[in-house]
Amino acid sequence: MEAANAINLKMAPLTPDHHFYIDQGTNAHLRLVLICIGKKLVQSGVLDDPEDVMFLRYNELRYLIGDPTFAAKPLVAAARAAYRKAEALKPRDWIGTATESQLQFPYLNLWGFPEKLYIEQTEALDKVQGLAASPGVVEGVAKVVMTIEEFDKVEKGDVLVCQMTNPAWVTLFTKIIGLVTDAGGPVSHPGVLSASSHPGRGRVVGGHLPDQGRRPDPRDGNTGEVTILEKAK
């Protein structure tokens, strides 16, 4: 099986090209245009930060470009506050009844369904159950990373704990020995990339993120189980 898989990886490797060039690439190019507009608006004194344009709706930005007296700063402040508040919310994995017809939707396996519906979390605070994404068992210091700005927290030999990954996170795969994500399934971005980049090292997806003050360690990519051995100092 390992020999056949090695040949398959050379002939038909799974890559994040579509995600990089289409899903994320389109948004990235649009963002560059918007930030350039934001810089012009900052120079005009109508915004405080180029990033402020990301908190304006399309028509609000049009009004501001056409009329410098348009009161955009209060709108930005309100939208930014709502964004911060939303960051603290954790939605349920599934809302409503998971019917057979709904579960047949072809892309749900990217998010670990229907398997994720049957995960039973133990009452023990030192256990987290997810879905096995890559065989292997590893033990190491876990680093909870929620945003790209926190990438510097990750060091060589760490275990990455995050909500989800995308092509921008691949740079961390050269450092980590294990991966735990809050979302996704075995064929999602973190599942596929981690399995192909470091075969034989444990990856768990679709678990529930541990508390920021804990260290999941080790993680078992064979069973999807994460064990917290000790709290961070």
Side-chain angles (χ1 to χ4, degrees), residues 115-182:
E115 292 82 0
K116 192 172 181 179
L117 293 174
Y118 306 116
I119 294 177
E120 294 184 3
Q121 297 294 341
T122 65
E123 294 183 2
L125 297 178
D126 60 349
K127 300 285 186 182
V128 177
Q129 185 63 49
L131 300 173
S134 178
V137 180
V138 296
E139 179 178 331
V141 176
K143 297 293 178 64
V144 178
V145 177
M146 305 302 288
T147 65
I148 292 178
E149 287 73 25
E150 297 178 314
F151 277 13
D152 288 343
K153 292 167 55 176
V154 180
E155 300 176 355
K156 195 76 171 179
D158 283 344
V159 173
L160 174 63
V161 181
C162 60
Q163 291 181 320
M164 190 57 170
T165 65
N166 61 49
W169 292 61
V170 173
T171 181
L172 296 182
F173 284 34
T174 61
K175 297 181 178 181
I176 62 174
I177 60 171
L179 174 67
V180 180
T181 67
D182 193 37

Short mmCIF file of all heavy atoms in Angstrom, two decimals, residues 115-182:
data_model
loop_
_atom_site.label_atom_id
_atom_site.label_comp_id
_atom_site.label_asym_id
_atom_site.label_seq_id
_atom_site.Cartn_x
_atom_site.Cartn_y
_atom_site.Cartn_z
N GLU A 115 -19.45 12.09 9.42
CA GLU A 115 -18.72 11.49 10.54
C GLU A 115 -18.68 12.39 11.77
O GLU A 115 -18.77 11.92 12.91
CB GLU A 115 -17.28 11.15 10.10
CG GLU A 115 -17.17 10.03 9.09
CD GLU A 115 -17.41 10.50 7.67
OE1 GLU A 115 -17.65 11.72 7.49
OE2 GLU A 115 -17.34 9.67 6.75
N LYS A 116 -18.56 13.70 11.55
CA LYS A 116 -18.43 14.62 12.68
C LYS A 116 -19.66 14.65 13.56
O LYS A 116 -19.59 14.95 14.75
CB LYS A 116 -18.12 16.03 12.16
CG LYS A 116 -17.66 17.00 13.26
CD LYS A 116 -17.18 18.31 12.68
CE LYS A 116 -16.70 19.24 13.78
NZ LYS A 116 -16.21 20.52 13.27
N LEU A 117 -20.81 14.29 12.98
CA LEU A 117 -22.05 14.29 13.75
C LEU A 117 -22.05 13.21 14.83
O LEU A 117 -22.79 13.30 15.81
CB LEU A 117 -23.25 14.09 12.82
CG LEU A 117 -23.55 15.21 11.83
CD1 LEU A 117 -24.66 14.78 10.89
CD2 LEU A 117 -23.92 16.49 12.55
N TYR A 118 -21.22 12.20 14.64
CA TYR A 118 -21.24 11.06 15.55
C TYR A 118 -20.08 11.08 16.53
O TYR A 118 -19.90 10.14 17.30
CB TYR A 118 -21.21 9.76 14.75
CG TYR A 118 -22.31 9.68 13.72
CD1 TYR A 118 -22.01 9.64 12.35
CD2 TYR A 118 -23.65 9.70 14.10
CE1 TYR A 118 -23.02 9.59 11.40
CE2 TYR A 118 -24.66 9.66 13.15
CZ TYR A 118 -24.34 9.60 11.81
OH TYR A 118 -25.35 9.57 10.88
N ILE A 119 -19.29 12.15 16.53
CA ILE A 119 -18.19 12.26 17.50
C ILE A 119 -18.76 12.51 18.89
O ILE A 119 -19.60 13.38 19.09
CB ILE A 119 -17.23 13.42 17.13
CG1 ILE A 119 -16.52 13.12 15.81
CG2 ILE A 119 -16.22 13.64 18.24
CD1 ILE A 119 -15.62 14.25 15.37
N GLU A 120 -18.32 11.74 19.84
CA GLU A 120 -18.75 11.91 21.22
C GLU A 120 -17.56 12.39 22.06
O GLU A 120 -16.56 11.69 22.19
CB GLU A 120 -19.28 10.60 21.79
CG GLU A 120 -20.57 10.13 21.12
CD GLU A 120 -21.13 8.89 21.77
OE1 GLU A 120 -20.54 8.43 22.79
OE2 GLU A 120 -22.15 8.37 21.29
N GLN A 121 -17.68 13.61 22.58
CA GLN A 121 -16.62 14.15 23.42
C GLN A 121 -16.76 13.58 24.84
O GLN A 121 -17.86 13.49 25.38
CB GLN A 121 -16.71 15.68 23.47
CG GLN A 121 -16.50 16.37 22.14
CD GLN A 121 -15.10 16.19 21.59
OE1 GLN A 121 -14.17 15.87 22.31
NE2 GLN A 121 -14.95 16.40 20.29
N THR A 122 -15.63 13.18 25.40
CA THR A 122 -15.65 12.67 26.76
C THR A 122 -15.79 13.81 27.75
O THR A 122 -15.54 14.98 27.42
CB THR A 122 -14.36 11.89 27.06
OG1 THR A 122 -13.25 12.81 27.03
CG2 THR A 122 -14.13 10.79 26.03
N GLU A 123 -16.19 13.48 28.96
CA GLU A 123 -16.31 14.49 30.01
C GLU A 123 -14.94 14.89 30.55
O GLU A 123 -14.80 15.94 31.18
CB GLU A 123 -17.19 13.97 31.15
CG GLU A 123 -18.65 13.74 30.73
CD GLU A 123 -19.49 13.29 31.90
OE1 GLU A 123 -18.94 13.19 33.03
OE2 GLU A 123 -20.70 13.06 31.70
N ALA A 124 -13.94 14.08 30.30
CA ALA A 124 -12.58 14.39 30.79
C ALA A 124 -12.04 15.64 30.11
O ALA A 124 -12.14 15.80 28.90
CB ALA A 124 -11.65 13.21 30.52
N LEU A 125 -11.48 16.54 30.91
CA LEU A 125 -10.97 17.81 30.38
C LEU A 125 -9.64 17.64 29.64
O LEU A 125 -9.18 18.57 28.99
CB LEU A 125 -10.82 18.82 31.52
CG LEU A 125 -12.12 19.22 32.23
CD1 LEU A 125 -11.80 20.19 33.36
CD2 LEU A 125 -13.11 19.84 31.26
N ASP A 126 -9.02 16.48 29.78
CA ASP A 126 -7.72 16.27 29.14
C ASP A 126 -7.84 15.46 27.84
O ASP A 126 -6.84 14.97 27.32
CB ASP A 126 -6.76 15.57 30.09
CG ASP A 126 -7.27 14.20 30.53
OD1 ASP A 126 -8.45 13.89 30.26
OD2 ASP A 126 -6.49 13.44 31.13
N LYS A 127 -9.05 15.33 27.31
CA LYS A 127 -9.26 14.59 26.07
C LYS A 127 -10.07 15.43 25.08
O LYS A 127 -11.04 16.09 25.46
CB LYS A 127 -10.01 13.28 26.32
CG LYS A 127 -9.30 12.31 27.24
CD LYS A 127 -8.14 11.62 26.55
CE LYS A 127 -7.54 10.55 27.46
NZ LYS A 127 -6.37 9.88 26.85
N VAL A 128 -9.66 15.41 23.83
CA VAL A 128 -10.42 16.05 22.74
C VAL A 128 -10.52 15.03 21.62
O VAL A 128 -9.50 14.47 21.20
CB VAL A 128 -9.73 17.34 22.23
CG1 VAL A 128 -10.52 17.92 21.06
CG2 VAL A 128 -9.61 18.36 23.36
N GLN A 129 -11.72 14.79 21.13
CA GLN A 129 -11.92 13.81 20.07
C GLN A 129 -12.22 14.49 18.75
O GLN A 129 -13.08 15.37 18.67
CB GLN A 129 -13.07 12.86 20.43
CG GLN A 129 -13.26 11.72 19.44
CD GLN A 129 -12.05 10.79 19.39
OE1 GLN A 129 -11.55 10.35 20.43
NE2 GLN A 129 -11.57 10.50 18.20
N GLY A 130 -11.50 14.11 17.71
CA GLY A 130 -11.75 14.63 16.37
C GLY A 130 -11.77 13.50 15.37
O GLY A 130 -12.08 12.35 15.72
N LEU A 131 -11.43 13.79 14.13
CA LEU A 131 -11.38 12.79 13.07
C LEU A 131 -9.93 12.54 12.67
O LEU A 131 -9.15 13.49 12.54
CB LEU A 131 -12.16 13.26 11.84
CG LEU A 131 -13.66 13.56 12.06
CD1 LEU A 131 -14.25 14.17 10.78
CD2 LEU A 131 -14.40 12.30 12.43
N ALA A 132 -9.58 11.29 12.50
CA ALA A 132 -8.22 10.96 12.10
C ALA A 132 -7.98 11.42 10.66
O ALA A 132 -8.74 11.11 9.76
CB ALA A 132 -8.00 9.45 12.20
N ALA A 133 -6.91 12.21 10.45
CA ALA A 133 -6.62 12.74 9.11
C ALA A 133 -5.33 12.18 8.53
O ALA A 133 -5.17 12.14 7.31
CB ALA A 133 -6.53 14.27 9.16
N SER A 134 -4.40 11.77 9.38
CA SER A 134 -3.12 11.24 8.91
C SER A 134 -2.58 10.30 9.97
O SER A 134 -2.45 10.70 11.13
CB SER A 134 -2.13 12.37 8.63
OG SER A 134 -0.88 11.86 8.20
N PRO A 135 -2.27 9.05 9.63
CA PRO A 135 -1.82 8.09 10.62
C PRO A 135 -0.54 8.53 11.32
O PRO A 135 0.31 9.19 10.74
CB PRO A 135 -1.58 6.82 9.79
CG PRO A 135 -2.38 7.00 8.55
CD PRO A 135 -2.35 8.48 8.27
N GLY A 136 -0.41 8.15 12.57
CA GLY A 136 0.79 8.45 13.34
C GLY A 136 0.44 9.06 14.68
O GLY A 136 -0.65 9.60 14.87
N VAL A 137 1.35 8.93 15.63
CA VAL A 137 1.18 9.51 16.96
C VAL A 137 2.39 10.39 17.25
O VAL A 137 3.53 9.96 17.10
CB VAL A 137 1.07 8.40 18.04
CG1 VAL A 137 0.90 9.03 19.42
CG2 VAL A 137 -0.09 7.47 17.73
N VAL A 138 2.14 11.63 17.64
CA VAL A 138 3.23 12.54 17.97
C VAL A 138 2.97 13.20 19.31
O VAL A 138 1.83 13.26 19.77
CB VAL A 138 3.41 13.64 16.89
CG1 VAL A 138 3.82 13.04 15.57
CG2 VAL A 138 2.14 14.47 16.73
N GLU A 139 4.02 13.69 19.92
CA GLU A 139 3.92 14.41 21.18
C GLU A 139 4.78 15.64 21.11
O GLU A 139 5.93 15.59 20.68
CB GLU A 139 4.38 13.51 22.34
CG GLU A 139 4.32 14.19 23.70
CD GLU A 139 4.75 13.25 24.82
OE1 GLU A 139 4.55 12.03 24.67
OE2 GLU A 139 5.29 13.74 25.84
N GLY A 140 4.24 16.78 21.51
CA GLY A 140 5.00 18.02 21.47
C GLY A 140 4.22 19.17 22.07
O GLY A 140 3.07 19.02 22.46
N VAL A 141 4.86 20.31 22.13
CA VAL A 141 4.22 21.51 22.66
C VAL A 141 3.25 22.06 21.63
O VAL A 141 3.61 22.26 20.47
CB VAL A 141 5.27 22.59 23.01
CG1 VAL A 141 4.58 23.86 23.48
CG2 VAL A 141 6.21 22.07 24.08
N ALA A 142 2.01 22.28 22.05
CA ALA A 142 0.99 22.79 21.13
C ALA A 142 0.94 24.31 21.18
O ALA A 142 1.04 24.92 22.24
CB ALA A 142 -0.38 22.21 21.50
N LYS A 143 0.81 24.91 20.01
CA LYS A 143 0.66 26.35 19.90
C LYS A 143 -0.69 26.67 19.26
O LYS A 143 -0.96 26.25 18.13
CB LYS A 143 1.79 26.94 19.05
CG LYS A 143 3.18 26.75 19.62
CD LYS A 143 3.38 27.54 20.91
CE LYS A 143 4.77 27.30 21.50
NZ LYS A 143 5.86 27.76 20.65
N VAL A 144 -1.54 27.36 20.01
CA VAL A 144 -2.85 27.76 19.49
C VAL A 144 -2.67 29.02 18.67
O VAL A 144 -2.26 30.06 19.19
CB VAL A 144 -3.85 28.00 20.64
CG1 VAL A 144 -5.19 28.46 20.08
CG2 VAL A 144 -4.02 26.74 21.47
N VAL A 145 -2.95 28.94 17.39
CA VAL A 145 -2.78 30.06 16.46
C VAL A 145 -4.13 30.36 15.81
O VAL A 145 -4.68 29.50 15.11
CB VAL A 145 -1.73 29.73 15.37
CG1 VAL A 145 -1.60 30.88 14.39
CG2 VAL A 145 -0.38 29.43 16.02
N MET A 146 -4.63 31.55 16.03
CA MET A 146 -5.95 31.90 15.50
C MET A 146 -5.87 32.78 14.26
O MET A 146 -6.81 32.82 13.47
CB MET A 146 -6.77 32.62 16.59
CG MET A 146 -6.90 31.83 17.89
SD MET A 146 -7.66 30.21 17.67
CE MET A 146 -9.35 30.70 17.34
N THR A 147 -4.77 33.51 14.09
CA THR A 147 -4.64 34.42 12.96
C THR A 147 -3.23 34.35 12.38
O THR A 147 -2.29 33.84 13.02
CB THR A 147 -4.91 35.88 13.37
OG1 THR A 147 -3.90 36.31 14.30
CG2 THR A 147 -6.29 36.02 14.02
N ILE A 148 -3.06 34.89 11.18
CA ILE A 148 -1.75 34.92 10.53
C ILE A 148 -0.77 35.74 11.36
O ILE A 148 0.43 35.44 11.39
CB ILE A 148 -1.88 35.50 9.11
CG1 ILE A 148 -2.65 34.52 8.22
CG2 ILE A 148 -0.53 35.81 8.50
CD1 ILE A 148 -2.87 35.01 6.81
N GLU A 149 -1.26 36.75 12.08
CA GLU A 149 -0.38 37.59 12.89
C GLU A 149 0.30 36.79 14.01
O GLU A 149 1.29 37.26 14.59
CB GLU A 149 -1.19 38.74 13.50
CG GLU A 149 -1.59 39.83 12.51
CD GLU A 149 -2.70 39.39 11.56
OE1 GLU A 149 -3.48 38.48 11.95
OE2 GLU A 149 -2.80 39.94 10.45
N GLU A 150 -0.21 35.62 14.32
CA GLU A 150 0.35 34.82 15.41
C GLU A 150 1.30 33.73 14.91
O GLU A 150 1.73 32.87 15.69
CB GLU A 150 -0.78 34.17 16.21
CG GLU A 150 -1.69 35.17 16.91
CD GLU A 150 -2.82 34.49 17.66
OE1 GLU A 150 -3.46 33.58 17.10
OE2 GLU A 150 -3.07 34.88 18.82
N PHE A 151 1.65 33.75 13.63
CA PHE A 151 2.52 32.72 13.06
C PHE A 151 3.86 32.63 13.78
O PHE A 151 4.46 31.56 13.87
CB PHE A 151 2.76 32.99 11.57
CG PHE A 151 1.67 32.47 10.68
CD1 PHE A 151 0.45 32.05 11.20
CD2 PHE A 151 1.85 32.41 9.31
CE1 PHE A 151 -0.55 31.57 10.38
CE2 PHE A 151 0.86 31.92 8.47
CZ PHE A 151 -0.35 31.51 9.01
N ASP A 152 4.36 33.76 14.28
CA ASP A 152 5.67 33.76 14.93
C ASP A 152 5.70 32.95 16.22
O ASP A 152 6.77 32.63 16.75
CB ASP A 152 6.11 35.20 15.23
CG ASP A 152 6.50 35.96 13.97
OD1 ASP A 152 6.73 35.30 12.94
OD2 ASP A 152 6.55 37.20 14.00
N LYS A 153 4.53 32.59 16.75
CA LYS A 153 4.47 31.78 17.96
C LYS A 153 4.95 30.35 17.71
O LYS A 153 5.40 29.66 18.62
CB LYS A 153 3.03 31.73 18.50
CG LYS A 153 2.50 33.04 19.03
CD LYS A 153 1.00 32.99 19.25
CE LYS A 153 0.56 31.86 20.14
NZ LYS A 153 -0.89 31.89 20.41
N VAL A 154 4.84 29.91 16.46
CA VAL A 154 5.14 28.51 16.13
C VAL A 154 6.64 28.31 15.93
O VAL A 154 7.27 29.05 15.17
CB VAL A 154 4.39 28.09 14.86
CG1 VAL A 154 4.70 26.62 14.51
CG2 VAL A 154 2.89 28.28 15.04
N GLU A 155 7.19 27.32 16.61
CA GLU A 155 8.60 26.99 16.50
C GLU A 155 8.77 25.57 15.97
O GLU A 155 7.82 24.79 15.91
CB GLU A 155 9.27 27.13 17.87
CG GLU A 155 9.19 28.53 18.46
CD GLU A 155 9.78 28.60 19.85
OE1 GLU A 155 10.16 27.54 20.38
OE2 GLU A 155 9.86 29.71 20.41
N LYS A 156 9.99 25.25 15.58
CA LYS A 156 10.30 23.94 15.04
C LYS A 156 9.93 22.85 16.05
O LYS A 156 10.30 22.94 17.22
CB LYS A 156 11.79 23.85 14.70
CG LYS A 156 12.17 22.68 13.82
CD LYS A 156 11.79 22.93 12.37
CE LYS A 156 12.35 21.86 11.45
NZ LYS A 156 11.99 22.07 10.03
N GLY A 157 9.16 21.86 15.61
CA GLY A 157 8.80 20.75 16.49
C GLY A 157 7.52 20.95 17.26
O GLY A 157 7.16 20.10 18.08
N ASP A 158 6.81 22.06 17.02
CA ASP A 158 5.54 22.32 17.71
C ASP A 158 4.40 21.56 17.05
O ASP A 158 4.51 21.05 15.93
CB ASP A 158 5.22 23.82 17.69
CG ASP A 158 6.02 24.61 18.69
OD1 ASP A 158 6.60 23.99 19.60
OD2 ASP A 158 6.09 25.85 18.55
N VAL A 159 3.29 21.53 17.76
CA VAL A 159 2.03 21.03 17.21
C VAL A 159 1.11 22.23 17.01
O VAL A 159 0.88 23.00 17.94
CB VAL A 159 1.38 20.00 18.15
CG1 VAL A 159 -0.01 19.62 17.65
CG2 VAL A 159 2.25 18.77 18.27
N LEU A 160 0.64 22.41 15.81
CA LEU A 160 -0.22 23.54 15.48
C LEU A 160 -1.67 23.23 15.83
O LEU A 160 -2.21 22.21 15.40
CB LEU A 160 -0.10 23.89 14.00
CG LEU A 160 -1.04 24.98 13.45
CD1 LEU A 160 -0.76 26.31 14.14
CD2 LEU A 160 -0.88 25.10 11.94
N VAL A 161 -2.30 24.11 16.60
CA VAL A 161 -3.71 23.99 16.94
C VAL A 161 -4.41 25.24 16.40
O VAL A 161 -4.06 26.37 16.78
CB VAL A 161 -3.92 23.89 18.47
CG1 VAL A 161 -5.40 23.74 18.81
CG2 VAL A 161 -3.12 22.73 19.04
N CYS A 162 -5.36 25.06 15.50
CA CYS A 162 -6.00 26.22 14.87
C CYS A 162 -7.42 25.86 14.45
O CYS A 162 -7.84 24.71 14.55
CB CYS A 162 -5.20 26.68 13.65
SG CYS A 162 -5.03 25.43 12.37
N GLN A 163 -8.16 26.87 13.99
CA GLN A 163 -9.52 26.62 13.54
C GLN A 163 -9.53 25.91 12.19
O GLN A 163 -10.24 24.95 11.98
CB GLN A 163 -10.29 27.94 13.44
CG GLN A 163 -10.58 28.56 14.81
CD GLN A 163 -11.36 29.85 14.69
OE1 GLN A 163 -11.10 30.67 13.81
NE2 GLN A 163 -12.32 30.03 15.57
N MET A 164 -8.74 26.40 11.24
CA MET A 164 -8.69 25.85 9.90
C MET A 164 -7.43 26.38 9.22
O MET A 164 -6.84 27.35 9.67
CB MET A 164 -9.95 26.28 9.11
CG MET A 164 -10.15 25.58 7.78
SD MET A 164 -10.22 23.80 7.96
CE MET A 164 -10.74 23.29 6.35
N THR A 165 -7.03 25.74 8.13
CA THR A 165 -5.88 26.23 7.37
C THR A 165 -6.29 26.53 5.93
O THR A 165 -7.32 26.07 5.46
CB THR A 165 -4.73 25.20 7.35
OG1 THR A 165 -5.15 24.03 6.62
CG2 THR A 165 -4.32 24.81 8.75
N ASN A 166 -5.46 27.31 5.26
CA ASN A 166 -5.60 27.57 3.83
C ASN A 166 -4.19 27.72 3.28
O ASN A 166 -3.22 27.60 4.02
CB ASN A 166 -6.49 28.80 3.58
CG ASN A 166 -5.92 30.06 4.18
OD1 ASN A 166 -4.74 30.39 4.00
ND2 ASN A 166 -6.74 30.81 4.92
N PRO A 167 -4.02 27.96 1.97
CA PRO A 167 -2.66 28.02 1.42
C PRO A 167 -1.71 28.97 2.14
O PRO A 167 -0.50 28.73 2.14
CB PRO A 167 -2.91 28.47 -0.03
CG PRO A 167 -4.23 27.85 -0.35
CD PRO A 167 -5.04 27.98 0.90
N ALA A 168 -2.22 30.03 2.76
CA ALA A 168 -1.34 30.97 3.47
C ALA A 168 -0.68 30.32 4.68
O ALA A 168 0.36 30.78 5.16
CB ALA A 168 -2.13 32.20 3.89
N TRP A 169 -1.26 29.23 5.18
CA TRP A 169 -0.74 28.58 6.38
C TRP A 169 0.30 27.51 6.08
O TRP A 169 0.90 26.95 6.99
CB TRP A 169 -1.90 27.96 7.18
CG TRP A 169 -2.82 28.96 7.79
CD1 TRP A 169 -3.58 29.89 7.14
CD2 TRP A 169 -3.09 29.14 9.18
NE1 TRP A 169 -4.30 30.64 8.03
CE2 TRP A 169 -4.03 30.21 9.29
CE3 TRP A 169 -2.64 28.52 10.34
CZ2 TRP A 169 -4.51 30.64 10.52
CZ3 TRP A 169 -3.13 28.94 11.56
CH2 TRP A 169 -4.05 30.00 11.64
N VAL A 170 0.50 27.21 4.80
CA VAL A 170 1.41 26.12 4.42
C VAL A 170 2.82 26.38 4.92
O VAL A 170 3.58 25.45 5.21
CB VAL A 170 1.39 25.92 2.89
CG1 VAL A 170 2.45 24.91 2.46
CG2 VAL A 170 0.01 25.45 2.44
N THR A 171 3.20 27.65 5.05
CA THR A 171 4.55 27.97 5.53
C THR A 171 4.83 27.37 6.91
O THR A 171 5.97 27.07 7.24
CB THR A 171 4.74 29.50 5.58
OG1 THR A 171 6.05 29.80 6.02
CG2 THR A 171 3.75 30.15 6.54
N LEU A 172 3.77 27.17 7.72
CA LEU A 172 3.96 26.58 9.05
C LEU A 172 4.19 25.08 8.99
O LEU A 172 4.72 24.49 9.94
CB LEU A 172 2.73 26.87 9.93
CG LEU A 172 2.45 28.34 10.25
CD1 LEU A 172 1.24 28.46 11.15
CD2 LEU A 172 3.66 28.98 10.92
N PHE A 173 3.81 24.44 7.88
CA PHE A 173 3.93 23.00 7.79
C PHE A 173 5.39 22.55 7.77
O PHE A 173 5.68 21.38 8.00
CB PHE A 173 3.21 22.50 6.54
CG PHE A 173 1.70 22.49 6.68
CD1 PHE A 173 1.04 23.45 7.42
CD2 PHE A 173 0.94 21.50 6.06
CE1 PHE A 173 -0.33 23.46 7.54
CE2 PHE A 173 -0.45 21.49 6.18
CZ PHE A 173 -1.08 22.47 6.92
N THR A 174 6.30 23.47 7.48
CA THR A 174 7.72 23.12 7.49
C THR A 174 8.27 23.06 8.91
O THR A 174 9.38 22.56 9.12
CB THR A 174 8.53 24.15 6.69
OG1 THR A 174 8.38 25.45 7.29
CG2 THR A 174 8.04 24.22 5.25
N LYS A 175 7.51 23.55 9.88
CA LYS A 175 7.96 23.59 11.27
C LYS A 175 7.29 22.55 12.15
O LYS A 175 7.91 22.00 13.05
CB LYS A 175 7.71 24.98 11.88
CG LYS A 175 8.45 26.12 11.23
CD LYS A 175 8.11 27.42 11.94
CE LYS A 175 8.86 28.61 11.36
NZ LYS A 175 8.54 29.86 12.10
N ILE A 176 6.02 22.30 11.91
CA ILE A 176 5.23 21.52 12.86
C ILE A 176 5.44 20.01 12.68
O ILE A 176 5.82 19.54 11.61
CB ILE A 176 3.73 21.85 12.72
CG1 ILE A 176 3.22 21.49 11.32
CG2 ILE A 176 3.49 23.31 13.02
CD1 ILE A 176 1.71 21.65 11.16
N ILE A 177 5.16 19.28 13.77
CA ILE A 177 5.20 17.82 13.72
C ILE A 177 3.80 17.24 13.83
O ILE A 177 3.62 16.03 13.64
CB ILE A 177 6.08 17.25 14.85
CG1 ILE A 177 5.54 17.65 16.22
CG2 ILE A 177 7.52 17.71 14.68
CD1 ILE A 177 6.22 16.94 17.38
N GLY A 178 2.82 18.06 14.17
CA GLY A 178 1.45 17.60 14.31
C GLY A 178 0.49 18.74 14.10
O GLY A 178 0.87 19.91 14.15
N LEU A 179 -0.78 18.40 13.85
CA LEU A 179 -1.79 19.42 13.53
C LEU A 179 -3.13 19.02 14.12
O LEU A 179 -3.56 17.86 14.00
CB LEU A 179 -1.92 19.57 12.01
CG LEU A 179 -3.02 20.50 11.50
CD1 LEU A 179 -2.72 21.95 11.88
CD2 LEU A 179 -3.16 20.37 9.98
N VAL A 180 -3.79 19.98 14.76
CA VAL A 180 -5.16 19.80 15.27
C VAL A 180 -5.99 20.98 14.80
O VAL A 180 -5.62 22.13 15.06
CB VAL A 180 -5.19 19.73 16.82
CG1 VAL A 180 -6.62 19.54 17.31
CG2 VAL A 180 -4.30 18.61 17.33
N THR A 181 -7.08 20.71 14.08
CA THR A 181 -7.95 21.80 13.63
C THR A 181 -9.35 21.63 14.20
O THR A 181 -9.78 20.52 14.52
CB THR A 181 -8.05 21.86 12.09
OG1 THR A 181 -8.74 20.69 11.62
CG2 THR A 181 -6.68 21.94 11.46
N ASP A 182 -10.04 22.74 14.31
CA ASP A 182 -11.39 22.74 14.84
C ASP A 182 -12.40 22.30 13.79
O ASP A 182 -13.46 21.79 14.11
CB ASP A 182 -11.74 24.15 15.34
CG ASP A 182 -13.00 24.16 16.18
OD1 ASP A 182 -13.20 23.20 16.94
OD2 ASP A 182 -13.78 25.11 16.08
#
